[in-house]
C-alpha cells in the first residue's frame, strides 16, 4: 500500500510527493502537501505504481531520506516512474534532514517554489 492513499486521493491534486516513512507523509499532509509514504526505501512494487497511476497526478516528486538507502530508492523510482508520468523530479534534502522533520516555513517554501506548475 501507499500511506495514506485514501486521504491523498480525496485531495485530488495534480502532483504527489513520495516519501519513505509514514511520519514524513503526515508531516507534509498537515501543510496541505499531498504526500504518500512508500513504507520504506526498498518496498516499491508494480502494485504501488498502479495505485499511484489511479490518482491522476501528472507530477511526481521524490523526497526520500538523504541516506544511501534513500538515494538508491530515488534513483530506482525516478527511472521507473518517468515511463508513466510526464514530470518526475527529486527533491534533495541536506544530510541529516528528514521529510518528517521539515518545519512549516520549509513546507511553505516547497509549496510556493517547487510544487507549483512550471509555465
Amino acid at each position: 500500500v501507499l500511506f495514506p492513499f485514501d486521504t491523498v486521493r480525496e485531495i485530488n491534486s495534480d502532483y504527489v510527493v513520495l516519501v519513505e516513512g509514514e511520519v514524513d507523509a503526515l508531516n507534509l499532509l498537515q501543510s496541505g502537501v499531498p504526500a504518500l509514504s512508500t513504507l520504506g526505501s526498498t518496498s516499491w512494487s508494480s502494485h504501488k505504481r498502479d495505485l499511484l497511476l489511479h490518482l491522476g497526478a501528472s507530477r511526481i516528486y521524490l523526497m526520500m531520506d538523504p541516506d544511501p538507502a534513500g538515494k538508491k530508492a530515488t534513483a530506482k523510482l525516478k527511472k521507473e516512474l518517468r515511463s508513466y508520468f510526464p514530470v518526475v523530479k527529486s527533491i534533495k534534502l541536506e544530510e541529516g534532514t528528514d521529510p518528517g522533520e521539515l518545519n512549516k516555513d520549509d513546507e511553505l517554501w516547497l509549496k510556493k517554489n517547487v510544487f507549483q506548475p512550471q509555465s
Side-chain angles (χ1 to χ4, degrees):
V1 299
L2 295 169
F3 174 84
F5 183 80
D6 291 335
T7 301
V8 171
R9 181 175 50 193
E10 289 174 12
I11 295 172
N12 196 27
S13 175
D14 73 327
Y15 75 94
V16 174
V17 180
L18 291 180
V19 295
E20 288 180 56
E22 301 92 330
V23 172
D24 301 340
L26 293 174
N27 185 46
L28 290 167
L29 277 168
Q30 286 181 341
S31 294
V33 175
L36 290 170
S37 169
T38 62
L39 302 173
S41 63
T42 60
S43 68
W44 189 253
S45 67
S46 60
H47 178 69
K48 289 181 182 186
R49 180 202 62 225
D50 292 344
L51 285 172
L52 198 56
L53 285 165
H54 285 308
L55 290 175
S58 60
R59 297 180 290 142
I60 304 299
Y61 295 95
L62 306 170
M63 192 186 307
M64 301 294 167
D65 296 349
D67 58 16
K71 290 175 184 176
K72 185 175 179 180
T74 297
K76 176 183 176 181
L77 289 171
K78 200 172 199 179
K79 183 178 179 180
E80 178 183 339
L81 295 177
R82 281 195 168 149
S83 299
Y84 297 92
F85 298 93
V87 176
V88 179
K89 294 184 178 183
S90 58
I91 299 167
K92 295 179 182 173
L93 300 175
E94 293 180 25
E95 288 291 327
T97 303
D98 185 270
E101 298 171 348
L102 295 176
N103 65 43
K104 300 302 173 203
D105 290 336
D106 294 334
E107 292 165 357
L108 181 62
W109 184 89
L110 285 168
K111 284 174 69 173
K112 284 185 171 183
N113 298 293
V114 177
F115 303 139
Q116 293 299 314
Q118 305 297 316
S119 42

